[in-house]
Amino acid sequence: DTFLRVDHNRDGRLSREEFGALRRELFRAADIDRDDHLQLVEYELLIVFEQAGWLDRNGSERVEPSELRESLARAFQQLDADRDGRLSPAEATYLRPVAFAQFDRNADQALTLDELVAGYRQELGG
């Protein structure tokens, strides 16, 4: 879908300009705090949302803090392979091990959706 969307002239190839526009679009979507820099946490969220998608309720084409919980819930469902309502380290391989440990507030080696959301909100500054 992404390839077809950015292949503006529909020639089945991406020009340097078309690919550059895609990169700028991805950067803009991932820059949650809008400071024209990507923090590691923003990049990490881009990776998981690229796989699971995010809910762009307001059509801004950006990951908005107000959309974070719903978007993480969507990703959580896809990542929770055994459907036990928790992410093991093996199910959350995109997440840095140090972040996994910090997010795991009860130290049970698994993340609930609430822990995942709270961890990301803390890393994003609120």
Side-chain angles (χ1 to χ4, degrees), residues 63-125:
V63 176
E64 302 284 350
S66 63
E67 300 164 339
L68 189 63
R69 182 174 186 77
E70 285 181 271
S71 296
L72 283 171
R74 183 179 186 161
F76 192 95
Q77 285 182 318
Q78 291 184 22
L79 294 167
D80 185 14
D82 61 10
R83 304 287 180 242
D84 68 351
R86 303 160 14 123
L87 295 183
S88 67
E91 291 170 321
T93 56
Y94 79 93
L95 185 60
R96 295 162 284 127
V98 68
F100 189 98
Q102 289 171 344
F103 292 7
D104 184 14
R105 295 194 173 168
N106 62 358
D108 66 351
Q109 293 299 302
L111 297 178
T112 63
L113 176 59
D114 287 340
E115 287 174 319
L116 190 66
V117 171
Y120 274 120
R121 285 199 189 281
Q122 183 176 359
E123 281 208 345
L124 291 167

Side-chain angles (χ1 to χ4, degrees), residues 29-49:
D31 187 17
I32 295 170
D33 63 7
R34 298 178 181 184
D35 68 350
D36 292 326
H37 294 87
L38 289 187
Q39 300 172 52
L40 181 55
V41 65
E42 291 170 317
Y43 183 79
E44 191 174 81
L45 285 167
L46 172 66
I47 298 303
V48 75
F49 291 155

